[in-house]
Amino acid sequence: MLPAAQPLLTVGETAVALRVSKPTVYRWIANGDLPAIRYGQLRPEGDTRRGGALRIPRDVVMALLSSSEEVAS
């Protein structure tokens, strides 16, 4: 039996949950501040666009939310 799939969020869902803009989420991913999984069809060599879809583990987003609530308290 396969293990249960890890729940993942889109960039938009992550932005809404963290109350930031989508470009901020993309910047955090590019800087390595937010782990993300890229999957899907990659672009052919020479194409400057990235290709594939980005998903953020839900556990990471929930951990960020809980840590920010502790700081605010």
Side-chain angles (χ1 to χ4, degrees), residues 25-54:
V25 174
Y26 283 117
R27 187 175 57 249
W28 288 347
I29 292 169
N31 292 341
D33 297 331
L34 186 64
I37 299 165
R38 183 179 297 276
Y39 71 94
Q41 184 176 5
L42 298 177
R43 305 284 182 190
E45 189 172 335
D47 192 343
T48 57
R49 298 175 293 170
R50 288 291 214 131
L54 286 170

Side-chain angles (χ1 to χ4, degrees), residues 10-70:
T10 65
V11 171
E13 292 168 341
T14 301
V16 169
L18 297 176
R19 296 181 182 163
V20 297
S21 67
K22 286 170 53 173
T24 298
V25 174
Y26 283 117
R27 187 175 57 249
W28 288 347
I29 292 169
N31 292 341
D33 297 331
L34 186 64
I37 299 165
R38 183 179 297 276
Y39 71 94
Q41 184 176 5
L42 298 177
R43 305 284 182 190
E45 189 172 335
D47 192 343
T48 57
R49 298 175 293 170
R50 288 291 214 131
L54 286 170
R55 295 293 183 266
I56 299 92
R58 186 174 184 269
D59 297 342
V60 172
V61 175
M62 293 302 123
L64 283 172
L65 286 172
S66 66
S67 67
S68 67
E69 289 173 0
E70 291 172 4

